[in-house]
């Protein structure tokens, strides 16, 4: 008698959810998050907060269309309902106070194990007063749920409550200030803006204060680098890495993504993650 072979299903990879905006060119936002997740061996899903498209007829300025808050809540509910356990969540572009409130409600409801908040405080084209209201809402309603936050230099200044950061020591101090606001892990990003000849960020978790540096690749900004960094941290946390190790890996992913950047008709290049680990 011939035995019937048993089908063994491979175990599922870790699952990461990006709550972020769509950037239609593929160079940033949720599209970049998904590519980064896949490159690092993590299954990615998305709940869209808004749709951003560049306007080729207006110097590639941003056009932003917010997703209805209930539609956003439904997307998050669906992701959790399908997968059960979400190993890590990345919070990207939110853009409006109703969106922020919806995301905060979901974070309270689902209590995800790992939450990476990439605090996009200002989107080009926002009025200053509206931007300030959004900044305050993000800080008050979403940041308290963060496992780690990844502010750029301007966002670090805002979150730390300082006017200017021009030195590594000042960046270290700002990271500590953000930690003191209740964020357990902080990656304060300066990139090339401190003139060190490197792309420099500071990690702080209340005990470890570490400067993370990688070679600087030119001085021009590349679209999607910040999204890639936060998404790579999210993927590594989903796989079980410590926050510091996740940040170290993410820095390497960004270097590769900038080295292999995409060129197009816009007055800026965008990242490409597809060669990381294959070079």
């Amino acid at each position: 008698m011939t035995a019937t072979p048993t089908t063994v299903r491979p175990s599922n990879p870790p699952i990461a959810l990006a709550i972020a905006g769509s950037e239609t060119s593929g160079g940033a936002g949720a599209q970049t998050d998904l590519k980064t997740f896949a490159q690092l061996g993590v299954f990615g899903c998305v709940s869209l907060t808004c749709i951003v498209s560049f306007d080729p007829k207006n110097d590639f300025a941003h056009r932003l269309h917010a997703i209805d808050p209930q539609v956003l809540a439904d997307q998050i509910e669906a992701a959790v309902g399908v997968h059960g356990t979400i190993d890590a969540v990345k919070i990207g572009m939110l853009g409006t106070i109703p969106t922020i409130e919806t995301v905060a409600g979901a974070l309270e409801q689902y209590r995800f194990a790992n939450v990476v908040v990439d605090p996009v405080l200002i989107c080009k084209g926002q009025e200053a007063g509206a931007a300030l209201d959004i900044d305050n809402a993000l800080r008050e309603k979403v940041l308290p749920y963060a496992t780690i936050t990844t502010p750029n230099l301007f966002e670090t200044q805002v979150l730390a409550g300082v006017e200017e950061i021009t030195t590594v020591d000042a960046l270290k101090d700002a990271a500590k200030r953000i930690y003191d606001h209740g964020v357990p892990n902080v990656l304060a990003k300066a990139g090339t803006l401190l003139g060190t000849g490197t792309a420099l960020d500071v990690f702080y978790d209340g005990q470890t204060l570490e400067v993370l540096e990688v070679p600087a690749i030119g001085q021009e900004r590349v679209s999607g680098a910040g999204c890639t960094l936060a998404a790579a941290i999210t993927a590594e946390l989903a796989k079980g890495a410590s926050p510091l190790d996740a940040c170290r890996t993410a820095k390497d992913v960004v270097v590769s993504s900038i080295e292999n950047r995409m060129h197009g008709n816009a007055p800026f290049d965008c990242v490409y993650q597809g060669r990381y680990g294959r070079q």
Side-chain angles (χ1 to χ4, degrees):
M1 182 176 179
T2 303
T4 302
T6 301
T7 300
V8 179
R9 292 186 178 182
S11 59
N12 287 337
I15 297 169
L17 168 64
I19 302 175
S22 165
E23 199 280 85
T24 308
S25 77
Q31 288 85 340
T32 283
D33 294 342
L34 287 175
K35 285 180 279 191
T36 304
F37 294 162
Q39 196 67 25
L40 292 171
V42 171
F43 184 91
C45 48
V46 167
S47 297
L48 290 181
T49 60
C50 59
I51 297 173
V52 177
S53 60
F54 296 120
D55 185 356
K57 299 184 293 297
N58 185 25
D59 196 29
F60 291 89
H62 288 68
R63 298 177 291 199
L64 187 149
H65 177 78
I67 300 297
D68 180 88
Q70 185 59 55
V71 175
L72 172 58
D74 292 346
Q75 292 177 81
I76 299 171
E77 178 188 49
V80 175
V82 169
H83 297 293
T85 298
I86 304 292
D87 297 294
V89 174
K90 181 208 163 186
I91 309 294
M93 176 69 184
L94 299 181
T96 71
I97 291 176
T99 299
I100 289 170
E101 291 173 343
T102 299
V103 170
L107 295 175
E108 172 66 24
Q109 178 179 355
Y110 298 115
R111 294 286 175 169
F112 300 109
N114 296 291
V115 177
V116 179
V117 176
D118 189 20
V120 182
L121 295 185
I122 289 182
C123 180
K124 296 178 182 66
Q126 282 181 323
E127 295 293 332
L132 179 60
D133 290 342
I134 291 168
D135 295 353
N136 290 335
L138 178 65
R139 180 167 44 228
E140 294 169 6
K141 297 178 182 295
V142 172
L143 205 59
Y145 295 97
T147 303
I148 182 169
T149 189
T150 60
N152 64 22
L153 192 61
F154 168 75
E155 293 156 353
T156 296
Q157 291 171 177
V158 172
L159 294 178
V162 299
E163 291 188 3
E164 190 177 31
I165 297 172
T166 59
T167 66
V168 176
D169 284 342
L171 187 63
K172 291 177 179 177
D173 178 69
K176 291 179 179 178
R177 287 171 180 260
I178 296 171
Y179 171 85
D180 288 341
H181 290 325
V183 183
N185 299 276
V186 179
L187 185 68
K189 304 178 299 185
T192 61
L193 298 180
L194 296 184
T196 60
T198 61
L200 183 149
D201 306 328
V202 167
F203 174 88
Y204 185 63
D205 65 359
Q207 295 182 329
T208 300
L209 180 65
E210 185 164 326
V211 176
L212 304 180
E213 292 182 271
V214 294
I217 306 167
Q219 293 296 316
E220 295 183 357
R221 290 192 174 187
V222 178
S223 179
C227 298
T228 301
L229 183 78
I233 293 171
T234 305
E236 291 300 300
L237 291 177
K239 290 155 61 177
S242 71
L244 179 54
D245 285 341
C247 291
R248 289 169 175 156
T249 298
K251 293 280 287 182
D252 292 337
V253 174
V254 172
V255 168
S256 173
S257 300
I258 294 176
E259 287 177 338
N260 297 289
R261 60 190 176 271
M262 300 286 292
H263 312 288
N265 295 322
F268 48 82
D269 293 333
C270 68
V271 290
Y272 175 53
Q273 305 82 4
R275 292 192 174 92
Y276 175 75
R278 301 177 184 177
Q279 298 162 306

